[in-house]
Structures are given as C-alpha cells and as structure tokens.
Amino acid sequence: MQERGGLAREKRGKTQKKNPAEISRFFASFAGYLLRVIPKLDAALLIVGHGSTVNPDSSAPSLAHAATIRRRGLFAEVACVFWKEEPALRDWPLLFPDPTIHDIFVVPNFISEGYFTQTIIPRELELTGDLTERDFPAGQRWHYCPPVGNHPAMTELLLQRAREVAPGVPERETSLLIVGHGTGLNDNSAVAAKQQVAAIAALDRYAAVLSTYMEEPPHIADWAKLTDTPNVVVVPFFISDGLHSYQDIPVLLGLEPEPTAAASQQAVFRQNPRHLHGRALYYASAIGTEPRFADIILEQTAALALA
Amino acid sequence: MDQDAARLLFSLDAALARWLAAARMRLGQIQMETLPPPQAGFRLRHHDDAGRPHEELALFTGGADDAVELARYDDAGNYRPLKTAPNLRHGWRLEALPDLPALRRALDAFYPARLGALLAFENGRLPVTPLRETLARQTGMYRITQKLTDAQADALVGRFCRSDGGCLRTILWRRDLAGTPASSHLPPEKFEPAFDQTGHGETRSLPLLCQEACNLLVAEARAVIKGERTAAAASAVDC
C-alpha cells in the first residue's frame, strides 16, 4: 500500500502575503468546518481503535468520540472496530449492510502512521489503498483516512495538556517530554512524536523538549538522565489512559513500583507533581482523551479528500 | 432488486422486527421484553433475572451508552474483554428503549456486530474464514501462530471456545480449507445455530454466530506456541 503523506504544516512566519501552504491550510480548515456541520446521510463513519484484552479504558475514547459524533446526526451510521476488542476489524462486512450507505470513512484513532495503520488495518479491513470499492456491500466506497495523530492541531493540544497538568510552572525551567510507543516493527511509529517535538521546540517556550519512547531509545525510563531542569512535564502521546499510558509508563517513570489498577477502577486520578530525583515530575493523561478529538476525527475525513 | 427491497432485506431494524414478531426474544444472555403502553418500547435484562421483581433490579435508562458500561465488567467487577463470554453481570434492567433502532443499538453494545452476523447468515452472505487462513494472515508477534499444530489447535479451540465458561458463540468456521471441524473436543451442538449455547434449552434464541476466530483466540494460540498456557501469561499479550 502506498504510504500517505502528512498534512501541510502550519507556517508560523509573519509574512503579509499568504503562501500556498497557508492557502491550502485555509481550505483544509474550511472543508473541515463544512464536514463538521453538513450531514452526509448516505455515508458512515468507522473509527478504528486498538482496544485491549486487559485494560477496560483503552477503547473508552474511541467509543466516546463515536457517541459525540453520532449525537450530531452527521452520518447514517457511526461505528467503532478494534484490534483487540469487539466489534473486531474482521467484522467490517457486518457493520453497514444498508444499501443506502454508499461511502464509508475509515479513521484510525491512532497516534501515528505505523505498523497498525499501514499493515494491520488495511489487511484486516481488506483495503487496497485510500479508496476501496466493494462488490459487497455492492458499490460501497471505503475511504481510508489519515490517523488522528497526523492532524495539525496535535501540537496545540499537546501544549495545552502540558499547561493544564503543570499550571503556573515556569516553562523556561521545565523540560517537556512527549512519550510515544515506538516499535521495531515499523520505522514510522516514532516519527509522529519526533515531528511534534520539533514543532514545539521551534516555539522556544520550554527549556527542553524531547521525544521519548517505551520500546526504543531514548527510553522514558531514563527521564531523569535525559533532563536537567527542576520541573519535568511528561505528556503521553497515546490515544487512551489504557495499559501503556496509565499502567506501564508510570512504572517506567518511577511513579509506581508496579502497574496499578486501571484508571477507571481507581478512586482518584494521580496527583501532580511527584518529587523524584530532586525534580518535580508532572504526568498528564493521554492526549487522545481530549474531547476535541471528535472534531479531529471528522476533519481527517476531509483531509483525505484534499490530499 | 429495487433499493427499497434491498434495504428491507439488509436492514437490521427490519430483521429485528421479524425476529421479535417470531417471539425470538433471547440473544445470548439477554432477555428482551416488549413493554405495554403507557411505557411502550423495550426492556432488556439478564435472562437469569427474568423471574426477579423489577424493583430488585437497578434501573438504567441511558440506552446503548449504558449497555456499553453494563457489558464492561462481570459480577465480580472484572473486565470482560470478550463480550460473548458467558459472564454478563446480573441485577440490572435497561429501559427507555423507545423503538427498534434504540433496541438494536443497545443489543449491539452488549454483543457487537452479532445481529449483523445473524442477518448476513440468514441472507447467505456471511463470510466465514477457516482458522488456518486467519493464522496465515498474521504478522508481527502473531506470525508465530502459523506453527500451531493440528493437535494444538484442536485442544486450544476445545478449551478456549467452549460454551460453558469460554464463549457463547456458535462456531461456523472450520480449522482448514479441507473442512476439518474446529475442534473434536466440542459437542456437535456447538456448531449448530439453532442450539441455545447458554444451556437453558431456549428453542427460539437468536444465536451469536462466530464467522472467524477472534483475536483473543489468536493471542491464546501464541501463548500455546510459546509455552505460556496460563491465563495470566495469555492475558499479558496485548499488542
């Protein structure tokens, strides 16, 4: 399957004349707005999530965003499928049997292009590219959209999360660590986090901005060695407060001696900051729990049309 | 076929109306009830609770959103990764389901895509995939499942998919393209859509059909290959 390119990044210069990238972004934004308000009643939206067999919170954001979009009445149907939960990716032929549904927009609720978006999802959904025309259900056109993590709004959402988790903490005395999964299965997995770090670093607000990972260097477990500021803010570039961001990474950070119960089964969410290695450590909830992701999912369907 | 006829044939709401008209009011462990006026609409509860007074059951009125939450944990508060496992929690009633679409969405939250599987089956359009084909497709950490021997597959499916404690689905897939049964350790009725897998002998229950081995079974196959047969080891596989 051909690899898709990312969306054009927002230029931050102060030029008076709009360049092509700015014009393109304006139209993408306008198309995104239209898509958020104009019903497409001959179309369905399919949100693809990872899900979990051990953590009950993994699928929660995808289900919540689907419910939000369903209430807006923009699509004939809004459904989710998961790799590790039900309905499964392989249930795709069962989801939209209504012959009045002609177009299916598939949006991966994943942080990056990588093993899942480029191998697992196309294989399990039997997608042949950005557009797949089906014999059955007859004439259905399945549009494979970019993952939510590719959206240009991610940078601002990460910054917002960082500010919310450490209110009033001077950014010039703070290191911001964006932590992603990383995997040896696909070189692209870590790229999204690196891109976000580059974009945030270019703003020159924080003393340092670093990308770190669970499964490849630089490892999040080395956070104290990687930073030298009195404050460290860690934002998980993950979809949910599930197994990795709520149970695994806190152990790697030293916040917990061993994995705790799932977030939804805890009486209270973690308190910030925690003082470790002589630093104030702030740990945010996963970026994908942000309610604005519902709009981002909708805008990714427009991004495909403009690609 | 014109579009109206096609829509009727493939509409889940129309199919649900037909099933209800035929007094098929059971889906897995769920009992459906039609409420008389002035309430009207539908009520769902665990079939084990069918004989209990309503006031003993906790009332939920949030439709499919509540159904998602009710389906998430068992009676002991443990997470239910497999929605067709025979461990649906008790002690609730889900009301305020005013019409067929609301009922369908709630049922779909309890048993995702199973109504769609049944409709496709009745229309002769349910794609069924042999286990070997499912395993042959795997990549990454699950590629190793292609080494599962026939004897291992036979024992694994017999243990993991059994209706008493494993999964209430009716298995339609075979082990391989030659048509070898999924497991010799399962009774013939495990493959019979007309049989009530809950063991209650309900003759008109709607079956939870299984058209392809689920990812949980694939993950368990990996655990078997790697010699991690225990439930704890299998549950740690989550990528």
Side-chain angles (χ1 to χ4, degrees):
Chain A
M1 181 171 171
Q2 191 176 0
E3 189 173 332
R4 300 178 305 228
L7 293 177
R9 282 193 173 280
E10 183 176 9
K11 295 282 184 181
R12 295 189 180 274
K14 291 189 175 179
T15 52
Q16 295 295 311
K17 194 175 178 181
K18 290 192 182 301
N19 63 33
E22 285 176 296
I23 294 169
S24 170
R25 174 151 168 70
F26 169 79
F27 280 108
S29 171
F30 184 63
Y33 167 76
L34 290 179
L35 207 95
R36 297 205 310 259
V37 296
I38 297 176
K40 293 174 67 66
L41 297 181
D42 63 347
L45 175 65
L46 183 61
I47 300 171
V48 183
H50 187 288
S52 169
T53 57
V54 294
N55 188 295
D57 303 317
S58 176
S59 55
S62 293
L63 293 170
H65 303 323
T68 298
I69 295 168
R70 195 177 291 122
R71 279 193 291 272
R72 294 183 192 173
L74 294 170
F75 292 91
E77 288 286 350
V78 180
C80 295
V81 288
F82 300 97
W83 173 233
K84 305 293 290 187
E85 294 185 40
E86 300 156 89
L89 284 156
R90 292 297 291 168
D91 288 326
W92 69 261
L94 315 175
L95 301 175
F96 310 111
D98 188 329
T100 62
I101 295 176
H102 299 301
D103 292 281
I104 316 292
F105 292 92
V106 180
V107 180
N109 196 20
F110 280 74
I111 284 302
S112 66
E113 291 280 15
Y115 179 58
F116 280 95
T117 63
Q118 293 174 345
T119 301
I120 298 279
I121 294 173
R123 184 186 78 208
E124 300 291 294
L125 295 183
E126 298 178 28
L127 302 175
T128 55
D130 289 349
L131 174 64
T132 303
E133 299 195 44
R134 307 278 196 198
D135 292 332
F136 183 80
Q140 272 190 2
R141 306 187 318 155
W142 287 55
H143 307 268
Y144 191 32
C145 308
V148 292
N150 273 15
H151 194 280
M154 265 331 113
T155 309
E156 182 51 40
L157 290 181
L158 287 167
L159 282 167
Q160 180 183 312
R161 269 287 145 98
R163 286 193 295 266
E164 287 170 354
V165 76
V169 175
E171 294 170 347
R172 304 304 306 182
E173 299 168 15
T174 301
S175 298
L176 174 58
L177 271 55
I178 307 298
V179 53
H181 191 290
T183 172
L185 288 171
N186 188 300
D187 292 340
N188 282 325
S189 179
V191 168
K194 286 191 180 88
Q195 287 175 338
Q196 293 303 330
V197 162
I200 294 171
L203 300 176
D204 196 26
R205 292 183 192 170
Y206 285 88
V209 187
L210 299 169
S211 57
T212 58
Y213 305 96
M214 284 179 59
E215 293 189 359
E216 62 182 80
H219 290 286
I220 185 61
D222 296 328
W223 68 270
K225 293 179 201 160
L226 295 167
T227 60
D228 58 6
T229 52
N231 308 301
V232 177
V233 172
V234 179
V235 180
F237 200 29
F238 280 79
I239 287 297
S240 71
D241 285 321
L243 183 67
H244 294 321
S245 66
Y246 197 81
Q247 295 179 295
D248 291 341
I249 295 172
V251 174
L252 296 173
L253 287 169
L255 292 172
E256 310 283 354
E258 58 187 36
T260 65
S264 62
Q265 294 170 311
Q266 298 273 59
V268 292
F269 210 83
R270 289 193 179 84
Q271 300 297 309
N272 280 303
R274 287 279 295 276
H275 295 279
L276 292 170
H277 303 287
R279 325 284 186 79
L281 178 64
Y282 299 81
Y283 186 54
S285 57
I287 194 70
T289 60
E290 163 64 42
R292 278 172 61 193
F293 264 55
D295 286 333
I296 287 172
I297 287 169
L298 290 173
E299 292 193 11
Q300 291 305 71
T301 67
L304 182 69
L306 292 166
Chain B
M1 190 186 304
D2 65 33
Q3 183 147 302
D4 286 346
R7 188 166 195 182
L8 194 64
L9 188 60
F10 295 112
S11 161
L12 281 172
D13 292 340
L16 194 50
R18 289 197 299 275
W19 294 327
L20 295 180
R24 304 182 72 179
M25 307 294 280
R26 273 268 306 282
L27 177 68
Q29 293 182 288
I30 300 276
Q31 182 71 45
M32 294 175 255
E33 296 167 274
T34 306
L35 297 178
Q39 284 179 289
F42 303 93
R43 172 198 293 144
L44 301 179
R45 51 181 160 171
H46 195 299
H47 72 79
D48 288 348
D49 293 331
R52 291 175 63 181
H54 292 167
E55 54 272 20
E56 286 184 10
L57 304 175
L59 174 64
F60 292 84
T61 58
D65 290 346
D66 277 356
V68 166
E69 293 306 314
L70 287 166
R72 199 186 300 275
Y73 301 102
D74 65 12
D75 283 329
N78 298 312
Y79 173 52
R80 298 175 68 236
L82 181 61
K83 300 304 179 221
T84 45
N87 58 355
L88 183 67
R89 68 185 265 197
H90 295 79
W92 53 269
R93 58 192 159 110
L94 180 59
E95 298 185 1
L97 301 169
D99 50 25
L100 283 169
L103 174 64
R104 189 229 326 146
R105 288 202 171 92
L107 291 171
D108 219 40
F110 281 112
Y111 294 121
R114 291 312 89 197
L115 290 176
L118 180 57
L119 177 60
F121 179 72
E122 291 192 346
N123 286 333
R125 303 302 296 259
L126 182 63
V128 176
T129 307
L131 177 64
R132 286 292 175 204
E133 195 173 306
T134 302
L135 299 183
R137 217 181 47 233
Q138 302 303 314
T139 53
M141 65 188 288
Y142 295 120
R143 191 189 298 275
I144 196 173
T145 60
Q146 292 158 17
K147 295 182 179 175
L148 194 74
T149 66
D150 283 348
Q152 286 173 320
D154 198 47
L156 168 64
V157 174
R159 170 175 60 86
F160 196 79
C161 304
R162 69 187 192 280
S163 293
D164 57 334
C167 178
L168 292 173
R169 294 191 187 205
T170 302
I171 297 177
L172 299 180
W173 44 269
R174 299 298 182 117
R175 186 189 303 158
D176 48 40
L177 284 173
T180 309
S183 174
S184 63
H185 297 284
L186 295 171
E189 55 266 27
K190 180 65 178 176
F191 312 102
E192 173 50 61
F195 186 79
D196 175 12
Q197 300 295 334
T198 66
H200 286 71
E202 170 61 59
T203 56
R204 287 182 290 195
S205 63
L206 299 168
L208 302 165
L209 300 176
C210 186
Q211 80 279 13
E212 180 168 354
C214 65
N215 188 276
L216 277 80
L217 183 63
V218 174
E220 190 70 8
R222 179 180 185 271
V224 167
I225 297 288
K226 294 181 81 70
E228 304 163 347
R229 274 178 169 277
T230 66
S235 69
V237 175
D238 206 44
C239 287

